[in-house]
């Protein structure tokens, strides 16, 4: 049975476009689906037995093609988004890990440097930074004048900075 696709195209284009548009909700995608529908129909023209059912047959092909098209588009859009998201998360995680490692190394350097300070300065810095005590609280614990504590902490910190700075240069 010989089919005239020019005639079929002009007869069913509008119907197939409406079906495709109702599924894709995009004019350009609907046009693509209609074209793909006619290509599929042309390739399977030998399988149609009743020409009276040609409209229904083309309609089913168009609907299924539109659904497949939507599924493909969703996959195309989902993969890059997921890929970008994973890549972004990897960058953020990498930065956080790097920062955590650097912070950990700096903390170790500071602890080592504190260990080289005189005992009194070690005690002051540990109370200040490890215990989180304020100068006045440290003064009460050590039974010192608060101004004396401030001065000693200032000197200890200054010495600590020099020690840490020297290890970074060396």
């Amino acid at each position: 049975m010989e089919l005239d696709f020019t005639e079929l195209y002009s007869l069913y284009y509008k119907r197939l476009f409406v079906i495709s548009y109702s599924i894709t909700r995009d004019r350009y995608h609907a046009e693509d689906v209609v074209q793909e529908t006619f290509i599929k129909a042309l390739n399977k023209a030998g399988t149609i037995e009743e020409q009276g059912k040609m409209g229904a047959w083309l309609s089913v092909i168009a609907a299924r093609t539109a659904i497949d098209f939507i599924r493909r588009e969703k996959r195309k859009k989902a993969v890059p988004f997921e890929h970008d998201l994973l890549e972004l998360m990897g960058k953020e995680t990498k930065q956080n890990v790097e920062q955590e490692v650097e912070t950990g190394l700096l903390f170790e350097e500071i602890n080592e440097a504190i260990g080289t300070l005189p005992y009194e300065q070690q005690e002051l810095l540990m109370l200040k930074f490890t215990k989180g005590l304020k100068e006045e609280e440290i003064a009460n614990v050590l039974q010192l004048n608060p101004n004396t504590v401030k001065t000693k902490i200032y000197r200890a910190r200054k010495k600590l900075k020099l020690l840490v700075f020297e290890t970074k240069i060396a």
Side-chain angles (χ1 to χ4, degrees):
M1 162 165 72
E2 188 68 33
L3 297 172
D4 182 15
F5 272 90
T6 308
E7 186 179 324
L8 286 176
Y9 189 84
S10 60
L11 275 173
Y12 295 109
Y13 175 82
K14 197 173 210 171
R15 177 181 179 178
L16 299 179
F17 180 82
V18 169
I19 291 168
S20 301
Y21 183 80
S22 70
I23 295 170
T24 63
R25 298 286 183 203
D26 183 278
R27 180 174 174 236
Y28 300 106
H29 292 318
E31 289 175 2
D32 289 345
V33 168
V34 171
Q35 289 177 2
E36 199 171 324
T37 299
F38 279 108
I39 291 169
K40 287 179 179 179
L42 180 62
N43 290 335
K44 299 288 183 177
T47 62
I48 188 85
E49 294 174 5
E50 295 180 42
Q51 261 194 320
K53 295 182 179 181
M54 183 62 69
W57 184 62
L58 288 171
S59 297
V60 169
I61 294 172
R64 289 181 180 164
T65 303
I67 290 168
D68 289 344
F69 185 85
I70 293 297
R71 287 180 182 153
R72 276 194 312 267
E73 287 299 306
K74 281 184 181 177
R75 270 188 248 129
K76 282 181 189 174
K77 289 179 182 172
V79 171
F81 174 74
E82 289 171 359
H83 179 71
D84 290 345
L85 183 62
L86 288 173
E87 193 173 291
L88 179 64
M89 287 172 61
K91 285 179 183 174
E92 286 178 3
T93 304
K94 183 180 175 187
Q95 288 172 350
N96 290 340
V97 169
E98 286 175 5
Q99 289 172 350
E100 286 178 28
V101 169
E102 286 178 15
T103 303
L105 290 173
L106 182 60
F107 186 72
E108 285 178 23
E109 287 177 29
I110 291 170
N111 279 336
E112 285 177 27
I114 288 173
T116 64
L117 294 173
Y119 178 77
E120 184 183 26
Q121 289 180 337
Q122 288 181 32
E123 187 178 32
L124 285 167
L125 292 176
M126 289 300 194
L127 289 172
K128 174 75 175 162
F129 298 114
T130 308
K131 302 287 185 189
L133 299 178
K134 296 179 182 174
E135 284 89 358
E136 290 178 11
E137 295 170 323
I138 295 170
N140 288 334
V141 169
L142 299 177
Q143 298 177 348
L144 293 172
N145 183 321
N147 289 330
T148 304
V149 170
K150 284 183 185 183
T151 304
K152 288 186 176 199
I153 289 175
Y154 172 78
R155 289 179 184 158
R157 288 178 69 183
K158 190 174 178 180
K159 194 169 187 179
L160 182 64
K161 283 181 188 178
L162 287 173
L163 288 170
V164 172
F165 184 69
E166 284 175 6
T167 56
K168 287 197 180 254
I169 292 175

